[in-house]
Amino acid sequence: MTTAAFRPTHVVPSYGMPAWDTPDPARPTVPLDPLLPVQLVERQGDWGRIRCANGWSAWVDGRYLVAVPEDPPATGGPPTDAADPRPLLARAEQALAAYRTAVEALAGGELDGESFRGRTRGLRIGVVVDGEAMWLYDRDEGCWVYGDGRRLTTYATDRETPGTGTANHPPTRVVTPEGEP
C-alpha cells in the first residue's frame, strides 16, 4: 500500500542503514534496504524521522541519507534528448530473470544458500511503476531515473551531489530540544 502523499526526499545510502523505533540507540528496529526512497519528515539533531512509501516510519542517522536532487519533471511537456527508457528496461528484465532463475533453483533444491548468494551477488534492480510514471534503478550509472514512457531523467543518485537543485517538497520539520531557540 502506497500513501497518496508520499514524495521521496531522500534515499538510503547504497550500503543500507540501521533504523530505530525512537531516537534512542537502545531501541533498534528493522534495518533499511539500500537505495530505498524515503521521506524525511522530522529532524532532532543528527536523528531523522523517515517515512516509507507504505507509511512505515522510523528514526535514522539523518546525516547519512542521500538527498533527492529534484522532483520528477512534469509530464506532458515536449520530449527532450534524454535517454530512451527501453535499454534500461531490458537490463532490468534481464536482472529480474536472473534472480528468478536463482530463486527457482534454490526452491527446487538445486542450489544451497551459499551458491544462491554467489549467483545473485552483484544483482541490483529497482523498478517502481505507477501509471505512466516509472522509476528505475540504473546500476551502471548508480542512480534512480524517472521516466514518463518517452524519456528518462536522473532522479536520485547513490552519491551525494552537493550543489544540485532543490526539491519541491515541504521542508523537513526541525525539532530543537526544549529551551533552545
Side-chain angles (χ1 to χ4, degrees):
M1 174 180 97
T2 301
T3 59
F6 180 78
R7 280 297 257 220
T9 60
H10 293 76
V11 293
V12 171
S14 61
Y15 47 82
M17 71 187 315
W20 293 267
D21 285 328
T22 63
D24 176 357
R27 305 233 8 220
T29 187
V30 179
L32 299 173
D33 291 331
L35 307 174
L36 176 72
V38 298
Q39 186 178 54
L40 181 63
V41 295
E42 184 177 337
R43 295 282 309 218
Q44 286 185 14
D46 291 337
W47 289 100
R49 187 171 64 86
I50 56 96
R51 181 177 25 235
C52 297
N54 65 1
W56 184 75
S57 182
W59 289 88
V60 298
D61 186 334
R63 298 172 297 176
Y64 296 105
L65 291 172
V66 180
V68 172
E70 56 188 68
D71 284 337
T75 58
T80 65
D81 293 334
D84 179 347
R86 292 173 293 181
L88 187 53
L89 282 167
R91 287 197 310 263
E93 285 176 316
Q94 291 166 351
L96 183 58
Y99 189 81
R100 182 184 176 101
T101 300
V103 167
E104 293 287 345
L106 180 65
E110 300 164 35
L111 289 178
D112 61 17
E114 185 63 32
S115 299
F116 177 76
R117 277 188 291 285
R119 188 178 287 186
T120 59
R121 186 171 292 119
L123 282 178
R124 178 164 281 175
I125 182 174
V127 178
V128 176
V129 176
D130 184 12
E132 71 180 28
M134 169 186 67
W135 291 263
L136 288 169
Y137 181 70
D138 185 341
R139 191 187 89 161
D140 295 344
E141 298 297 324
C143 65
W144 281 91
V145 294
Y146 170 80
D148 63 3
R150 297 172 298 179
R151 59 193 166 140
L152 295 176
T153 306
T154 299
Y155 183 60
T157 67
D158 291 9
R159 299 166 287 283
E160 199 157 341
T161 51
T164 58
T166 59
N168 294 324
H169 53 74
T172 301
R173 185 168 64 102
V174 176
V175 178
T176 59
E178 289 185 31
E180 287 188 22

